[in-house]
Amino acid sequence: MSGSDAGPTVSEEPDPAPGEGPGRTVIGERVVEKIAARAVREAGRAGGVAPRVLGVPVGREGMQRASPVTAWVGGDATSLSVTVSLVWPCSVRTTTRRLRDHIIERVESLTGLHVDHVDIDVTQLASAPHPSRRVR
């Protein structure tokens, strides 16, 4: 057998047929949505939104709720739409920029997907909780 008859080299091997390779991982939109909602809670100064009736917030527990997130996944990229409340007083522009950066970092590091863009809809500026006053 000569050197040319030895068969294909490693670089000449064809791609594996379906079922013969290591497989592929598909990350669903719902998983990306949950990761992004968790990232909002981690970021601080941002939270979910209170339920609304005719456009009026009902209850004050909105900041403790998970933020509504919608994700679109296509191939190895994702786009997100997030609805949040922010703690007032704050710079909305600075806070949402930091929040967007944190969401992108967490989603990309945990899923391996590239985040194309993140739309953030701020629906409420919630007051920071005031400590109760004590009378001495």
Side-chain angles (χ1 to χ4, degrees):
M1 218 180 202
S2 69
S4 62
D5 296 329
T9 63
V10 174
S11 62
E12 294 175 351
E13 288 183 19
D15 291 333
E20 293 180 10
R24 67 182 192 139
T25 302
V26 177
I27 299 174
E29 292 170 343
R30 188 75 182 123
V31 173
V32 175
E33 291 168 355
K34 287 186 179 239
I35 291 170
R38 176 65 182 248
V40 171
R41 285 193 303 266
E42 293 171 355
R45 301 200 61 84
V49 293
R52 293 177 175 262
V53 175
L54 299 173
V56 178
V58 178
R60 299 184 64 105
E61 74 283 345
M63 292 292 289
Q64 288 77 34
R65 298 175 70 92
S67 294
V69 178
T70 303
W72 298 271
V73 176
D76 62 350
T78 184
S79 298
L80 302 164
S81 177
V82 183
T83 304
V84 298
S85 295
L86 299 180
V87 175
W88 179 259
C90 71
S91 165
V92 175
R93 175 177 282 172
T94 302
T95 304
T96 54
R97 185 177 300 132
R98 288 180 184 156
L99 179 60
R100 181 176 289 108
D101 291 344
H102 183 71
I103 292 169
I104 290 170
E105 188 275 324
R106 294 299 285 159
V107 170
E108 288 183 347
S109 70
L110 292 173
T111 66
L113 296 171
H114 170 71
V115 178
D116 284 336
H117 73 274
V118 179
D119 292 330
I120 299 177
D121 184 19
V122 179
T123 60
Q124 183 179 8
L125 295 173
S127 300
H130 297 287
S132 59
R133 294 185 176 195
R134 295 178 136 175
V135 177
R136 293 184 191 197

